[in-house]
Amino acid sequence: MSDLKYIRVEWDGEIAVVTVDRQDKLNALNADVLRELVEVIESLGADAGVRAVILTGAGERAFVAGADIGELARLDAVAAVRVSRDGQRVFDVIERLPKPVVAAVGGVALGGGLELALACHLRVAATRARFGLPEVGLGLMPGFGGTVRLSRLIGLGRAIELTLTGEPIDAGRARDIGLVSAVVEPATLLAEAKALAKRITRHGPLAVRTALESIYRGLDTTSADAQDFESVLFGLLVSTQDAREGMRAFLEKRKPEFRGV
Ligand code: COA
């Protein structure tokens, strides 16, 4: 990895904790932050020693307060399309990572910050977290996948309400509508996000990545095609040693030992 200015990576065993650290701007996503983020995520995706990723924001106030409004204000239409496409590609890399990515949201997740959290597979929030899409208040709209991912996660009506009012919701409401899995005290946020990741990584990595692949590929196609694909993946998994081990361990009433093959 090249020298990183805005992204920190720390390891806790097989879990990598990625922190967006641009605290003076509430971790807003400028072009450099996005470039570093995708570089880090791609390298963690390729690192066999990493089983899960936690994505969080530095400081107590923000997960990420959105795309950098100073940069957006300088764009013409053509450049804005490019920025939107580039951001979408970064978030697609996160969503398509073959290992679970958990967003640990400790403060505001606004605009591109909420869109970033949506690109993660799971979200855990601190009690003080806030979620919103304030873009319409700037005369803009979400441009990093938010108009697509939010409605898939929380339903069309709620997504339209959040997008058109631009008003943030608190962590409790986010949990109630399925936007986050859990709301925890700020001091335990990272530990809870890691605990969630570990509930996943104790299972076979091939099973986890293949289930993720089936879920996300299924969103982009018809139900019939998605189920065809699911069957093929299911068949592939059954032929792995991990699946043999998992089923044998159940029948022998012991814990499985998965090796990722
Ligand atoms: N882009 C660029 N800079 C941002 C930013 C963003 N999305 N969000 C916050 N900042 C900067 C502020 O400009 C300020 O910088 P400065 O100290 O150099 O003036 C710094 O971060 C702190 O933010 P500030 O607004 O002073 O903090 P606050 O506690 O009063 O308000 C927010 C916090 C999150 C409510 C407010 O910063 C905000 O509304 N941010 C924009 C959210 C948004 O619209 N996101 C979608 C963008 S498309």
Side-chain angles (χ1 to χ4, degrees):
M1 272 182 263
S2 56
D3 279 354
L4 299 173
K5 186 173 172 201
Y6 297 118
I7 304 290
R8 283 192 277 119
V9 190
E10 282 134 340
W11 277 264
D12 179 353
E14 296 175 308
I15 298 178
V17 179
V18 176
T19 304
V20 179
D21 191 351
R22 192 185 175 217
Q23 288 188 60
D24 59 328
K25 299 290 181 190
L26 300 184
N27 306 324
L29 303 171
N30 65 14
D32 288 337
V33 176
L34 286 170
R35 196 163 36 242
E36 289 186 13
L37 183 61
V38 74
E39 185 187 338
V40 164
I41 295 291
E42 279 176 338
S43 100
L44 295 176
D47 185 338
V50 174
R51 295 280 307 277
V53 176
I54 311 282
L55 187 54
T56 194
E60 297 185 347
R61 297 171 63 200
F63 173 68
V64 163
D68 188 304
I69 298 169
E71 279 190 359
L72 296 182
R74 292 192 290 274
L75 299 176
D76 62 20
V78 173
V81 171
R82 184 175 41 74
V83 164
S84 171
R85 297 296 298 166
D86 286 349
Q88 288 170 352
R89 269 192 286 272
V90 174
F91 290 11
D92 281 349
V93 169
I94 294 170
E95 186 175 80
R96 291 297 161 102
L97 211 71
K99 30 196 118 180
V101 185
V102 180
V105 181
V108 292
L110 297 175
L114 175 51
E115 293 173 293
L116 176 58
L118 291 171
C120 299
H121 304 130
L122 292 156
R123 288 146 292 280
V124 177
T127 45
R128 63 175 174 233
R130 299 282 180 277
F131 299 84
L133 293 173
E135 287 93 336
V136 286
L138 300 166
L140 297 172
M141 59 177 276
F144 290 166
T147 63
V148 178
R149 289 195 177 96
L150 187 61
S151 58
R152 285 177 167 176
L153 188 63
I154 65 170
L156 194 56
R158 287 167 176 149
I160 289 176
E161 187 183 337
L162 272 180
T163 309
L164 300 193
T165 65
E167 293 163 6
I169 56 171
D170 65 18
R173 172 95 179 120
R175 182 192 47 218
D176 291 347
I177 63 176
L179 182 51
V180 302
S181 299
V183 180
V184 301
E185 288 305 316
T188 65
L189 178 65
L190 263 191
E192 295 284 352
K194 286 178 187 175
L196 178 57
K198 283 178 186 162
R199 282 163 55 202
I200 299 168
T201 57
R202 70 196 159 113
H203 303 306
L206 294 176
V208 168
R209 75 178 285 179
T210 309
L212 269 180
E213 170 122 26
S214 192
I215 289 168
Y216 282 104
R217 285 282 290 272
L219 290 174
D220 294 335
T221 184
T222 62
S223 170
D225 284 350
Q227 292 191 66
D228 283 349
F229 188 59
E230 181 188 64
S231 298
V232 172
L233 292 178
F234 183 79
L236 278 175
L237 262 187
V238 161
S239 68
T240 65
Q241 290 179 32
D242 275 0
R244 298 279 158 220
E245 163 64 8
M247 291 184 279
R248 202 181 312 118
F250 175 81
L251 295 173
E252 293 170 1
K253 301 188 187 309
R254 61 174 174 82
K255 276 196 169 169
E257 284 178 33
F258 295 119
R259 294 189 295 116
V261 287

